[in-house]
């Protein structure tokens, strides 16, 4: 049985996208952001190798959502920290 080129990269991309989403919501937004970026790179590499299955699309989408949410939540956390420091310096 001949395995399609890029299928393993697509699977890794999908796994990293899902794990990145879990990390973004539950554990650490920065780690979720990093996992999402790696997932996007793997999905892109899978496409370059010619794999166009649904697994690659799912990996790309979940990784993209992980990157966007990770970036937004990280910026919100940074703004909240700066605001807290500003409030503490006024007291």
């Amino acid at each position: 049985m001949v395995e399609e080129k890029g299928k393993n990269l697509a699977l890794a991309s999908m796994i990293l996208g899902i794990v990145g989403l879990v990390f973004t919501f539950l554990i650490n937004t920065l780690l979720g952001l990093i996992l999402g970026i790696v997932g996007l790179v793997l999905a892109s590499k899978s496409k370059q190798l010619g794999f166009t299955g649904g697994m690659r699309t799912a990996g790309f989408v979940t990784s993209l959502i992980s990157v966007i949410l990770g970036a937004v939540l990280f910026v919100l956390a940074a703004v909240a920290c700066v605001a807290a420091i500003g409030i503490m310096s006024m007291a």
Side-chain angles (χ1 to χ4, degrees):
M1 182 170 152
V2 177
E3 192 167 331
E4 295 181 48
K5 288 185 175 182
K7 186 174 183 178
N8 290 334
L9 292 175
L11 176 63
S13 171
M14 187 175 70
I15 291 170
L16 285 174
I18 292 169
V19 172
L21 281 173
V22 170
F23 272 53
T24 298
F25 283 119
L26 300 178
I27 300 171
N28 186 350
T29 59
L30 188 59
L31 193 54
L33 178 67
I34 292 169
L35 290 174
I37 291 170
V38 174
L40 285 175
V41 169
L42 291 178
S44 174
K45 184 68 175 173
S46 175
K47 186 176 181 179
Q48 287 176 352
L49 291 175
F51 187 75
T52 57
M55 195 171 9
R56 186 200 65 82
T57 305
F60 179 79
V61 169
T62 55
S63 296
L64 186 63
I65 293 170
S66 177
V67 167
I68 292 170
L69 285 176
V72 167
L73 292 176
F74 184 74
V75 168
L76 286 175
V79 168
C81 287
V82 170
I85 291 171
I87 290 172
M88 288 176 16
S89 68
M90 292 174 67

